[in-house]
Amino acid sequence: MLTPIDARYRPIVLPDRPMGDDLLALVEPYQAIIFTQLRAVLDRTERSEFYPWIDTKIDLITGKDLPADHPLLGRDVVSGWVQGRGLESIARFATWLAPFAGDAAVDRCIERSRALAADLLARLGQARQRNGGHLHFFMTPAGDAFGFDAGGDRVPLALDAASPHGYSDLFSAKGMLAAAHLLRDAAAYDEARNFCLAVNDDVVARRFRSDQPQPELGARAWIGDAHSHGPYMISLGTAALFAEFEPGPDAAGLGLAMAQHVLHGHVNVGGRWPRLWEHDLVEFVDGAGEPYVDDAGRIISDPGHSLEYVGLFLKYSRAVRRCGGATAAQAAALADLEAAMPGVLRRAFANGWRPAVGGICKAVDLLTRDAVDDTMPWWSLPETIRAALAAWRVAEDEPTRRACLEMVASAHNAFVTHYVRPETHLMAVKVRDGRGEVVDQMPAYPDADPGYHTALSLIDAVELIVAG
């Protein structure tokens, strides 16, 4: 296989009904996307003399830097989401490059990745100390959490040990775990490990609260008496790291609890919710565990989140099977969950896929099947590629395997045709509207993706393609 540095990008288009061998053509362009994106993260961050954090403050429509003095977009605003996700991406990048060590250019990139991982690991640790053990969606460059009042002015936030954990904590904890493991820093690993487990405890106890200020569908961990599957789904990424770093029943059990909560708490299995279709995944449930009906009489599903759940679960289950340590009962539970994943995948993709314009819509009403939000973010496409490839690997019947490959082709072709921008580090524009036009919209945070959705998904995709 070519080293990632030697890989070249070509916008390969797959046939609508690909065979397994057709996927091999994706390896080199995916390598090129991964390497180009994450090298850009390194380059931009190393040049940022006055911004000591990962720098993806780039407008992906124009290719220009975001305005430095903007109150929301500027370099005096640091997002815990971006930094935690970026740290995991950079740590994984160094690990991904390791088999190619010995090439001088690769070795230099590994060295740079390790240096950035060490620096960011320390910065996030310092920011936690300033915020009672937490990170936040909005922070100053010094690491102090803040929000905005109704007038748009900054308001300091006082976080302490009693504050609930949020998504910045979840993303950062697993990023810190990955970085500490990469660096073989035992003290930092123990700290990150405890951080991960504390976040996990809040998720399980439903103390977890989203720190995202935007009212994006699915972004909040709760709405009144409604609870999201989001923290459980994302925690599967943490469980996958534990399964790799500390294989054994504890790591296996961590992921099983999260996956089972989503499947049995948010998915229509066995027709238990007659108004919905089999394998529909609802974004929110109420206090009684029923699908949450909002004030407009809708039951909301985010197809991208549903697809991400499948991909992250199968990433975790693959890590458990590869690294071992599960009990016989846990292995049986894993098999049961794996058997359900192709159904969840196919239903989520059918709910969200818009073939006329090539994208996956943000949110649908499961009662009417109408789009509640017809915008199509980029991130659900690489997440679908990873999820469908992983489901293809575990599917037991040929029709399901063919359906998985067709989903890979649809998501891949839309991604490279409508989203990827070769002139902007092979990053993808963030959002297209229901007509397929690129729009200037912020789906989660202002900064460009620091490799979390795209590069991490495609690293897994390459491994799944070349797996024996």
Short mmCIF file of all heavy atoms in Angstrom, two decimals, residues 398-427:
data_model
loop_
_atom_site.label_atom_id
_atom_site.label_comp_id
_atom_site.label_asym_id
_atom_site.label_seq_id
_atom_site.Cartn_x
_atom_site.Cartn_y
_atom_site.Cartn_z
N GLU A 398 -26.65 -12.33 1.80
CA GLU A 398 -26.17 -11.61 0.63
C GLU A 398 -27.01 -10.38 0.28
O GLU A 398 -26.45 -9.34 -0.08
CB GLU A 398 -26.07 -12.55 -0.57
CG GLU A 398 -25.32 -11.95 -1.75
CD GLU A 398 -23.90 -11.52 -1.38
OE1 GLU A 398 -23.29 -12.13 -0.48
OE2 GLU A 398 -23.42 -10.54 -2.01
N PRO A 399 -28.35 -10.42 0.36
CA PRO A 399 -29.11 -9.21 0.08
C PRO A 399 -28.75 -8.04 1.00
O PRO A 399 -28.68 -6.89 0.54
CB PRO A 399 -30.57 -9.66 0.28
CG PRO A 399 -30.55 -11.12 0.01
CD PRO A 399 -29.23 -11.60 0.55
N THR A 400 -28.52 -8.32 2.27
CA THR A 400 -28.13 -7.25 3.18
C THR A 400 -26.75 -6.73 2.84
O THR A 400 -26.50 -5.52 2.86
CB THR A 400 -28.16 -7.76 4.64
OG1 THR A 400 -29.49 -8.16 4.97
CG2 THR A 400 -27.72 -6.66 5.60
N ARG A 401 -25.83 -7.62 2.50
CA ARG A 401 -24.49 -7.19 2.13
C ARG A 401 -24.54 -6.29 0.88
O ARG A 401 -23.86 -5.27 0.81
CB ARG A 401 -23.59 -8.40 1.88
CG ARG A 401 -23.21 -9.14 3.15
CD ARG A 401 -22.49 -10.45 2.87
NE ARG A 401 -21.26 -10.24 2.10
CZ ARG A 401 -20.09 -9.90 2.63
NH1 ARG A 401 -20.00 -9.70 3.96
NH2 ARG A 401 -19.02 -9.76 1.88
N ARG A 402 -25.37 -6.66 -0.08
CA ARG A 402 -25.50 -5.84 -1.29
C ARG A 402 -26.09 -4.47 -0.94
O ARG A 402 -25.65 -3.44 -1.47
CB ARG A 402 -26.37 -6.54 -2.32
CG ARG A 402 -25.68 -7.71 -3.03
CD ARG A 402 -26.40 -8.07 -4.32
NE ARG A 402 -27.80 -8.43 -4.08
CZ ARG A 402 -28.21 -9.66 -3.84
NH1 ARG A 402 -27.35 -10.67 -3.81
NH2 ARG A 402 -29.49 -9.91 -3.65
N ALA A 403 -27.09 -4.46 -0.05
CA ALA A 403 -27.71 -3.19 0.35
C ALA A 403 -26.69 -2.29 1.04
O ALA A 403 -26.67 -1.07 0.82
CB ALA A 403 -28.90 -3.44 1.26
N CYS A 404 -25.82 -2.87 1.86
CA CYS A 404 -24.79 -2.08 2.53
C CYS A 404 -23.85 -1.45 1.52
O CYS A 404 -23.50 -0.26 1.63
CB CYS A 404 -24.00 -2.96 3.51
SG CYS A 404 -24.93 -3.46 4.98
N LEU A 405 -23.43 -2.22 0.52
CA LEU A 405 -22.53 -1.68 -0.50
C LEU A 405 -23.21 -0.59 -1.32
O LEU A 405 -22.56 0.39 -1.72
CB LEU A 405 -22.03 -2.80 -1.41
CG LEU A 405 -21.08 -3.81 -0.76
CD1 LEU A 405 -20.61 -4.83 -1.79
CD2 LEU A 405 -19.87 -3.12 -0.14
N GLU A 406 -24.50 -0.72 -1.56
CA GLU A 406 -25.21 0.32 -2.30
C GLU A 406 -25.28 1.61 -1.49
O GLU A 406 -25.19 2.72 -2.04
CB GLU A 406 -26.61 -0.17 -2.67
CG GLU A 406 -26.57 -1.24 -3.75
CD GLU A 406 -27.92 -1.90 -3.98
OE1 GLU A 406 -28.93 -1.39 -3.45
OE2 GLU A 406 -27.96 -2.93 -4.69
N MET A 407 -25.43 1.50 -0.16
CA MET A 407 -25.40 2.68 0.69
C MET A 407 -24.02 3.33 0.68
O MET A 407 -23.90 4.57 0.67
CB MET A 407 -25.84 2.33 2.11
CG MET A 407 -27.33 2.14 2.27
SD MET A 407 -27.83 1.78 3.97
CE MET A 407 -27.68 -0.01 3.99
N VAL A 408 -22.98 2.50 0.70
CA VAL A 408 -21.63 3.05 0.59
C VAL A 408 -21.49 3.85 -0.69
O VAL A 408 -20.99 4.99 -0.69
CB VAL A 408 -20.57 1.92 0.62
CG1 VAL A 408 -19.18 2.48 0.30
CG2 VAL A 408 -20.55 1.22 1.98
N ALA A 409 -21.95 3.28 -1.80
CA ALA A 409 -21.82 3.97 -3.09
C ALA A 409 -22.59 5.28 -3.10
O ALA A 409 -22.07 6.31 -3.56
CB ALA A 409 -22.31 3.05 -4.21
N SER A 410 -23.81 5.27 -2.59
CA SER A 410 -24.62 6.49 -2.59
C SER A 410 -23.96 7.59 -1.76
O SER A 410 -23.84 8.74 -2.18
CB SER A 410 -26.02 6.20 -2.06
OG SER A 410 -26.73 5.32 -2.91
N ALA A 411 -23.53 7.22 -0.54
CA ALA A 411 -22.94 8.21 0.35
C ALA A 411 -21.60 8.70 -0.20
O ALA A 411 -21.31 9.91 -0.18
CB ALA A 411 -22.76 7.62 1.75
N HIS A 412 -20.78 7.77 -0.68
CA HIS A 412 -19.48 8.16 -1.22
C HIS A 412 -19.64 9.08 -2.42
O HIS A 412 -18.97 10.13 -2.51
CB HIS A 412 -18.67 6.93 -1.61
CG HIS A 412 -17.51 7.27 -2.48
ND1 HIS A 412 -16.31 7.73 -1.99
CD2 HIS A 412 -17.37 7.26 -3.84
CE1 HIS A 412 -15.49 7.99 -2.99
NE2 HIS A 412 -16.10 7.70 -4.12
N ASN A 413 -20.48 8.71 -3.37
CA ASN A 413 -20.63 9.50 -4.58
C ASN A 413 -21.15 10.90 -4.27
O ASN A 413 -20.69 11.89 -4.87
CB ASN A 413 -21.55 8.78 -5.57
CG ASN A 413 -20.93 7.53 -6.15
OD1 ASN A 413 -19.72 7.30 -6.03
ND2 ASN A 413 -21.75 6.68 -6.76
N ALA A 414 -22.09 11.00 -3.35
CA ALA A 414 -22.59 12.33 -2.96
C ALA A 414 -21.49 13.14 -2.30
O ALA A 414 -21.34 14.35 -2.55
CB ALA A 414 -23.78 12.18 -2.02
N PHE A 415 -20.70 12.49 -1.47
CA PHE A 415 -19.66 13.19 -0.72
C PHE A 415 -18.61 13.79 -1.66
O PHE A 415 -18.28 14.97 -1.57
CB PHE A 415 -19.01 12.21 0.26
CG PHE A 415 -18.02 12.82 1.20
CD1 PHE A 415 -18.36 13.86 2.03
CD2 PHE A 415 -16.72 12.31 1.28
CE1 PHE A 415 -17.44 14.42 2.92
CE2 PHE A 415 -15.81 12.85 2.16
CZ PHE A 415 -16.16 13.91 2.97
N VAL A 416 -18.11 12.98 -2.57
CA VAL A 416 -17.03 13.48 -3.44
C VAL A 416 -17.55 14.39 -4.54
O VAL A 416 -16.82 15.25 -5.04
CB VAL A 416 -16.20 12.32 -4.05
CG1 VAL A 416 -15.56 11.50 -2.95
CG2 VAL A 416 -17.05 11.44 -4.97
N THR A 417 -18.82 14.23 -4.91
CA THR A 417 -19.38 15.05 -5.98
C THR A 417 -19.83 16.42 -5.50
O THR A 417 -19.62 17.43 -6.17
CB THR A 417 -20.58 14.33 -6.64
OG1 THR A 417 -20.14 13.06 -7.14
CG2 THR A 417 -21.17 15.15 -7.78
N HIS A 418 -20.42 16.47 -4.30
CA HIS A 418 -21.07 17.70 -3.86
C HIS A 418 -20.40 18.40 -2.67
O HIS A 418 -20.72 19.57 -2.40
CB HIS A 418 -22.52 17.41 -3.46
CG HIS A 418 -23.35 16.82 -4.56
ND1 HIS A 418 -23.57 17.47 -5.77
CD2 HIS A 418 -23.99 15.62 -4.66
CE1 HIS A 418 -24.33 16.71 -6.54
NE2 HIS A 418 -24.60 15.59 -5.90
N TYR A 419 -19.52 17.74 -1.95
CA TYR A 419 -19.02 18.30 -0.70
C TYR A 419 -17.51 18.53 -0.67
O TYR A 419 -17.04 19.57 -0.21
CB TYR A 419 -19.41 17.40 0.48
CG TYR A 419 -20.89 17.41 0.79
CD1 TYR A 419 -21.78 16.58 0.11
CD2 TYR A 419 -21.41 18.24 1.78
CE1 TYR A 419 -23.13 16.59 0.40
CE2 TYR A 419 -22.76 18.25 2.09
CZ TYR A 419 -23.62 17.44 1.38
OH TYR A 419 -24.97 17.44 1.66
N VAL A 420 -16.72 17.55 -1.08
CA VAL A 420 -15.26 17.65 -0.94
C VAL A 420 -14.72 18.77 -1.82
O VAL A 420 -15.09 18.89 -3.00
CB VAL A 420 -14.59 16.31 -1.31
CG1 VAL A 420 -13.07 16.46 -1.29
CG2 VAL A 420 -15.04 15.22 -0.36
N ARG A 421 -13.82 19.60 -1.25
CA ARG A 421 -13.22 20.71 -1.97
C ARG A 421 -11.71 20.51 -2.05
O ARG A 421 -10.99 20.75 -1.08
CB ARG A 421 -13.54 22.03 -1.26
CG ARG A 421 -14.99 22.44 -1.30
CD ARG A 421 -15.45 22.72 -2.73
NE ARG A 421 -16.79 23.26 -2.80
CZ ARG A 421 -17.89 22.54 -3.01
NH1 ARG A 421 -17.77 21.21 -3.14
NH2 ARG A 421 -19.07 23.11 -3.09
N PRO A 422 -11.20 20.05 -3.21
CA PRO A 422 -9.75 19.85 -3.35
C PRO A 422 -8.95 21.11 -3.07
O PRO A 422 -7.83 21.03 -2.56
CB PRO A 422 -9.61 19.42 -4.81
CG PRO A 422 -10.92 18.78 -5.14
CD PRO A 422 -11.93 19.60 -4.41
N GLU A 423 -9.51 22.28 -3.37
CA GLU A 423 -8.77 23.53 -3.18
C GLU A 423 -8.71 23.97 -1.72
O GLU A 423 -7.98 24.90 -1.39
CB GLU A 423 -9.41 24.64 -4.03
CG GLU A 423 -10.82 25.04 -3.60
CD GLU A 423 -11.93 24.20 -4.21
OE1 GLU A 423 -11.63 23.07 -4.70
OE2 GLU A 423 -13.10 24.63 -4.18
N THR A 424 -9.45 23.30 -0.85
CA THR A 424 -9.46 23.67 0.58
C THR A 424 -9.11 22.44 1.40
O THR A 424 -9.92 21.92 2.17
CB THR A 424 -10.83 24.24 1.00
OG1 THR A 424 -11.25 25.20 0.05
CG2 THR A 424 -10.73 24.92 2.37
N HIS A 425 -7.90 21.93 1.20
CA HIS A 425 -7.34 20.83 2.00
C HIS A 425 -8.18 19.56 1.93
O HIS A 425 -8.15 18.74 2.86
CB HIS A 425 -7.18 21.25 3.47
CG HIS A 425 -6.59 22.60 3.67
ND1 HIS A 425 -5.33 22.93 3.23
CD2 HIS A 425 -7.10 23.72 4.28
CE1 HIS A 425 -5.09 24.19 3.55
NE2 HIS A 425 -6.12 24.70 4.17
N LEU A 426 -8.94 19.39 0.86
CA LEU A 426 -9.84 18.23 0.72
C LEU A 426 -10.85 18.15 1.85
O LEU A 426 -11.38 17.08 2.17
CB LEU A 426 -9.05 16.92 0.60
CG LEU A 426 -8.25 16.77 -0.70
CD1 LEU A 426 -7.40 15.51 -0.65
CD2 LEU A 426 -9.17 16.73 -1.92
N MET A 427 -11.12 19.30 2.49
CA MET A 427 -12.21 19.37 3.46
C MET A 427 -13.53 19.50 2.72
O MET A 427 -13.57 19.74 1.51
CB MET A 427 -11.98 20.55 4.41
CG MET A 427 -10.78 20.38 5.31
SD MET A 427 -10.53 21.82 6.41
CE MET A 427 -9.13 21.24 7.38
#
